[in-house]
């Protein structure tokens, strides 16, 4: 009897707690989202694909903690941060046969031998070395500061490859125009002081390949060409896999722009302070210019934007501004563009560049002739409204890359929906791999380069799932099946999926699933609070209808339990990708 009484008291207590939380008011909804519970984030796999690590705060502590779960288990446990983080999969760059890998850790470069499982530290400096890559001959190139350095693994010799110099060539002190007085003083100094004569002699000797002040041959190698950056920002330094070409960009910051300002009333000083914001749409853009340094010819030349097809095509909206249109037509200048890349194929024979016009009307996929800086067109997408969409916009210009030395993949909204394409850069042939009134949102090429793994909203704009399709096209195969948003973190061996799943009434939770069709996703975390779980959240009907132009409109319908025959209903209409 006591057991039943205790059970009754517990049930009554839970019911009273649930009753106490109702109703759900605007004040309750507008609290810190932590009241709902804190979802897991930052999923990453161990290098051996056996363990998934993630950040989580199920007890609503001051900060989240590191957790881990086995790929074949269902119960997460707290991880030991310093020990377990050593096991995390790192973002290696590989040599040709993937037997060696390079990675930057805390500003130094490490070499991993996957056959012997031995890690070798290649640099140990106070400055940061970054972006390590293998050349086709097995040597290593990394960036230190603005410059590239080459490390020969056989001889252990390190060699500087670039010599970027701030300022203009004509601006160097020794290049200033000299007056007659300057010339006279310089000659007198040389005549009066023997030490200056000695220094001048040493300088001439070094320039002719003689012995320097510190012994040895001062000019065993040819002096590095000075690459002047003027007053611009240097970025995008990329070396070709064979080491022949080094490309870089010089960016001129936008001038005379006005940032928006947001007042901050809650400050430690007690005074209202300004929060600087971004510039408004329509303000001036940064202007970038690409250059190529040919290491074999020891020469620098600009990438020829004038060879981009349609570079002078003005946007249609200018027709509404006749004076501005007339001025631009007379100027007949190339529209400014932003470059992304180049993206070199494995053997270093071909480079691809993604270019976007700063007016956001054009996006080009271009083949770069590195010997001349001239472009040839692979694909052009133009939109008089705005170029963008899943897999197209963004800093890295979305989902692009090489399948092999001849085929390059990318996404385009040429049909009005973002889909996956493959182009043979030698023949110019293009093939559309996916199609339909839905969009590919992300693309990952499998390690064997035979399969694309994609996230797409094929079923509904607000429902994303994980699919696979062959690089030559064919059937699009669905792997995940849960209705809602499925964000996937694929294990390094591509055998398991970590799924961040959410739906209208379900905040994000972690699920694990084998990377197989028909496999079941297992729920790993439970993050929602008792208060959140106490409410009876409604799941609306997902509907679609045609608008006046015949286009599909997707919406949610929340039905009333007791609808009034004379009162209006509310329908929530949403865009693609949102619920």
């Amino acid at each position: 009897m006591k057991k039943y009484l205790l059970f009754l008291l517990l049930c009554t207590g839970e019911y009273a707690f649930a009753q106490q939380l109702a109703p759900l008011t605007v004040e309750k909804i507008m609290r810190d989202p932590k009241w709902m519970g804190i979802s897991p984030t930052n999923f990453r796999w161990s290098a051996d694909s056996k363990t998934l690590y993630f950040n989580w705060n199920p007890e609503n502590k001051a900060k989240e903690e590191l957790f881990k779960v086995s790929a074949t288990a269902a119960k997460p446990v707290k991880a030991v941060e310093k020990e377990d983080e050593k096991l995390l999969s790192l973002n290696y760059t590989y040599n040709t046969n993937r037997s060696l890998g390079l990675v930057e850790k805390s500003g130094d470069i490490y070499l991993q031998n996957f056959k012997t499982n031995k890690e070798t530290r290649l640099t140990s400096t106070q400055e940061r070395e970054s972006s390590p890559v293998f050349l086709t001959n097995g040597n290593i190139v990394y960036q230190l500061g603005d410059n590239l350095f080459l490390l020969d693994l056989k001889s252990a010799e390190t060699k500087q490859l670039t010599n970027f110099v701030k300022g203009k060539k004509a601006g160097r002190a020794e290049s200033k125009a000299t007056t007659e007085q300057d010339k006279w003083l310089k000659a007198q100094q040389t005549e009066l002081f023997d030490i200056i004569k000695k220094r001048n002699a040493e300088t001439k000797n070094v320039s002719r390949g003689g012995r320097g002040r510190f012994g040895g041959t001062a000019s065993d190698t040819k002096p590095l060409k000075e690459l002047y950056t003027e007053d611009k920002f240097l970025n995008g330094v990329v070396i070709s896999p064979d080491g022949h070409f080094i490309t870089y960009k010089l960016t001129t910051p936008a001038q005379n722009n006005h940032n928006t300002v947001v007042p901050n009333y809650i400050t430690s000083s007690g005074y209202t302070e300004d929060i600087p914001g971004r510039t408004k749409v329509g303000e001036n853009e940064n202007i970038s210019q690409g250059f190529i340094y040919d290491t074999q010819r020891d020469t620098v030349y600009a990438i020829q934007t004038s060879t981009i097809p349609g570079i002078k095509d003005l946007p249609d909206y200018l027709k509404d501004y006749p004076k501005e249109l007339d001025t631009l037509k007379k100027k007949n200048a190339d529209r400014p563009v932003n470059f992304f890349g180049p993206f070199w194929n494995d053997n270093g024979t071909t480079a691809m560049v993604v270019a976007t016009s700063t007016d956001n009307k054009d996006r080009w996929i271009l083949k770069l002739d590195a010997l001349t800086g001239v472009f040839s067109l692979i694909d052009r997408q133009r939109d008089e409204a705005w170029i963008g969409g899943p897999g197209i916009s963004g800093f890295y210009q979305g989902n692009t890359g090489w399948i092999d030395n001849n085929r390059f993949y990318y996404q385009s909204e040429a049909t009005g929906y973002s889909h996956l394409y493959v182009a043979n850069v030698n023949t110019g042939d293009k093939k559309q791999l996916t199609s339909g009134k839905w969009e590919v949102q992300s693309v990952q090429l499998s390690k064997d380069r035979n399969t694309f793994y994609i996230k797409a909203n094929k079923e509904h704009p607000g429902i994303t799932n994980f699919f696979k399709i062959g690089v030559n096209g064919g059937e699009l195969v669905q792997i995940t099946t849960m209705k809602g948003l499925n964000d996937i973190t694929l294990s390094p061996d591509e055998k398991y999926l970590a799924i961040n799943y959410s739906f209208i009434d379900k905040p994000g939770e972690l699920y694990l699933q084998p990377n197989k069709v028909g496999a079941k996703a297992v729920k790993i975390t439970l993050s929602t609070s008792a208060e959140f779980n106490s409410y009876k959240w409604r799941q609306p009907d997902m509907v679609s209808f045609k608008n006046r132009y015949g286009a599909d409109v997707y919406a949610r319908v929340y039905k009333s339990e007791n609808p009034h025959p004379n009162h209006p209903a509310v329908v929530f209409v949403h865009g693609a990708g949102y619920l």
Side-chain angles (χ1 to χ4, degrees):
M1 180 69 182
K2 288 183 179 179
K3 286 180 28 184
Y4 293 117
L5 180 61
L6 178 62
F7 177 75
L8 180 62
L9 288 172
L10 288 173
C11 291
T12 305
E14 289 181 2
Y15 176 76
F17 177 69
Q19 289 293 99
Q20 183 182 357
L21 295 175
L24 186 64
T25 63
V26 173
E27 287 77 11
K28 287 183 178 181
I29 293 174
M30 296 304 292
R31 287 175 293 169
D32 188 316
K34 287 183 179 180
W35 76 267
M36 297 185 296
I38 303 173
S39 298
T41 59
N42 196 19
F43 306 111
R44 58 261 198 217
W45 288 93
S46 60
D48 60 9
S49 299
K50 293 181 179 179
T51 307
L52 178 75
Y53 294 87
F54 56 97
N55 297 102
W56 196 27
N57 189 1
E59 299 173 1
N60 205 359
K61 294 183 178 180
K63 67 174 185 176
E64 60 187 12
E65 297 175 288
L66 182 67
F67 281 75
K68 65 180 179 180
V69 62
S70 168
T72 56
K75 185 177 180 180
V77 296
K78 288 184 182 179
V80 181
E81 292 196 24
K82 291 184 179 179
E83 294 179 11
D84 284 284
E85 287 186 342
K86 296 177 182 178
L87 304 175
L88 294 179
S89 177
L90 299 174
N91 189 23
Y92 288 105
T93 55
Y94 299 92
N95 63 347
T96 305
N97 62 8
R98 299 179 74 89
S99 62
L100 300 174
L102 292 170
V103 68
E104 174 203 342
K105 290 192 291 186
S106 300
D108 288 310
I109 307 300
Y110 291 78
L111 173 69
Q112 178 70 39
N113 188 316
F114 296 106
K115 293 182 178 179
T116 63
N117 199 29
K118 180 183 178 182
E119 182 182 76
T120 304
R121 187 172 187 167
L122 299 181
T123 65
S124 180
T125 68
Q126 292 297 311
E127 296 191 57
R128 181 193 174 200
E129 292 86 21
S130 63
S131 307
V133 294
F134 285 100
L135 297 184
T136 52
N137 62 6
N139 289 337
I140 293 170
V141 173
Y142 60 87
Q143 187 165 347
L144 171 59
D146 287 339
N147 290 300
L148 296 184
F149 292 80
L150 180 144
L151 172 60
D152 189 323
L153 287 180
K154 294 180 180 179
S155 66
E157 179 186 7
T158 299
K159 176 183 177 183
Q160 186 171 337
L161 299 180
T162 60
N163 182 24
F164 288 106
V165 179
K166 297 184 183 298
K168 299 180 180 179
K169 185 175 182 179
R172 292 182 298 171
E174 63 269 25
S175 298
K176 287 195 304 183
T178 55
T179 64
E180 289 299 319
Q181 178 176 327
D182 293 333
K183 294 177 182 178
W184 183 87
L185 285 172
K186 185 175 182 179
Q188 186 184 57
Q189 292 292 97
T190 303
E191 180 181 349
L192 294 176
F193 296 100
D194 291 338
I195 185 64
I196 294 180
K197 293 179 182 178
K198 183 179 179 181
R199 288 175 183 170
N200 289 343
E202 286 179 349
T203 302
K204 291 179 181 179
N205 191 33
V206 168
S207 65
R208 292 169 182 166
R211 299 182 66 85
R213 294 171 58 196
F214 303 103
T217 302
S219 185
D220 290 336
T221 58
K222 186 178 180 181
L224 279 173
K225 186 179 186 66
E226 294 174 322
L227 307 174
Y228 291 95
T229 61
E230 301 179 0
D231 56 351
K232 302 174 183 178
F233 293 113
L234 170 70
N235 60 358
V237 183
V238 177
I239 190 169
S240 63
D242 59 5
H244 187 168
F245 302 101
I246 296 172
T247 56
Y248 60 94
K249 291 187 295 185
L250 295 180
T251 301
T252 303
Q255 302 294 323
N256 302 319
N257 279 348
H258 300 85
N259 289 342
T260 55
V261 176
V262 179
N264 181 15
Y265 299 104
I266 304 174
T267 63
S268 58
S269 66
Y271 293 92
T272 301
E273 298 175 4
D274 291 335
I275 302 174
R278 56 162 290 169
T279 59
K280 291 187 176 182
V281 175
E283 292 272 18
N284 297 321
E285 298 277 352
N286 294 341
I287 299 176
S288 297
Q289 185 173 11
F291 294 87
I292 301 173
Y293 173 41
D294 187 325
T295 62
Q296 295 182 9
R297 294 185 292 171
D298 196 28
T299 185
V300 177
Y301 41 97
I303 293 176
Q304 302 299 312
T305 57
S306 60
T307 61
I308 300 176
I311 192 64
K312 296 182 185 295
D313 295 349
L314 298 175
D316 285 354
Y317 77 83
L318 288 172
K319 295 175 182 177
D320 296 330
Y321 305 90
K323 290 184 178 180
E324 185 177 350
L325 177 61
D326 186 59
T327 300
L328 290 173
K329 281 184 175 180
K330 290 178 180 178
K331 191 175 181 181
N332 195 32
D334 295 342
R335 284 182 294 157
V337 296
N338 289 318
F339 291 119
F340 302 88
F343 308 99
W344 288 91
N345 59 359
D346 289 342
N347 61 17
T349 58
T350 309
M352 300 296 294
V353 170
V354 179
T356 59
S357 59
T358 58
D359 59 21
N360 298 298
K361 307 304 178 189
D362 279 281
R363 199 275 305 255
W364 296 271
I365 307 294
L366 301 161
K367 181 179 177 181
L368 173 65
D369 182 351
L371 279 171
T372 61
V374 171
F375 287 120
S376 56
L377 181 66
I378 299 298
D379 182 79
R380 179 187 180 186
Q381 180 186 333
R382 183 174 176 88
D383 192 325
E384 290 296 340
W386 192 279
I387 289 290
I392 295 172
S393 57
F395 180 77
Y396 292 105
Q397 283 306 291
N399 306 314
T400 58
W402 290 94
I403 298 174
D404 51 39
N405 285 314
N406 300 316
R407 292 181 296 169
F408 190 79
Y409 67 89
Y410 61 95
Q411 284 182 241
S412 172
E413 282 190 335
T415 64
Y417 296 85
S418 182
H419 283 292
L420 181 60
Y421 294 76
V422 172
N424 186 312
V425 300
N426 294 321
T427 64
D429 295 335
K430 292 182 287 186
K431 184 175 183 179
Q432 183 176 348
L433 299 191
T434 62
S435 62
K437 293 183 177 181
W438 50 273
E439 298 197 305
V440 173
Q441 296 184 338
S442 66
V443 175
Q444 181 176 343
L445 184 63
S446 64
K447 291 195 300 183
D448 61 13
R449 300 191 179 188
N450 291 324
T451 304
F452 285 118
Y453 292 110
I454 69 174
K455 184 177 76 171
N457 55 5
K458 189 173 186 293
E459 181 180 350
H460 183 278
I463 297 176
T464 61
N465 270 295
F466 197 59
F467 301 81
K468 66 178 181 179
I469 189 172
V471 295
N472 296 316
E475 181 186 3
L476 183 67
V477 179
Q478 185 170 337
I479 300 174
T480 60
T481 58
M482 293 186 289
K483 305 272 186 191
L485 301 181
N486 292 269
D487 286 324
I488 306 299
T489 304
L490 189 63
S491 64
D493 62 6
E494 301 177 358
K495 292 182 180 180
Y496 298 99
L497 311 177
I499 308 172
N500 183 12
Y501 170 74
S502 61
F503 194 52
I504 295 170
D505 60 339
K506 297 178 179 68
E509 299 285 7
L510 169 63
Y511 288 71
L512 287 178
Q513 176 185 325
N515 186 16
K516 295 179 181 179
V517 177
K520 182 181 178 181
V522 177
K523 188 175 182 179
I524 302 300
T525 62
L526 178 59
S527 308
T528 50
S529 66
E531 182 179 358
F532 181 89
N533 295 332
S534 71
Y535 292 108
K536 186 180 178 181
W537 300 99
R538 295 184 183 181
Q539 286 196 5
D541 292 334
M542 311 297 289
V543 301
S544 65
F545 56 90
K546 300 286 186 182
N547 64 12
R548 71 183 68 178
Y549 305 105
D552 291 324
V553 177
Y554 294 89
R556 294 172 283 165
V557 176
Y558 290 87
K559 295 180 179 177
S560 173
E561 293 180 355
N562 300 298
H564 192 286
N566 297 324
H567 288 181
V570 177
V571 177
F572 290 88
V573 179
H574 53 83
Y578 295 91
L579 280 173

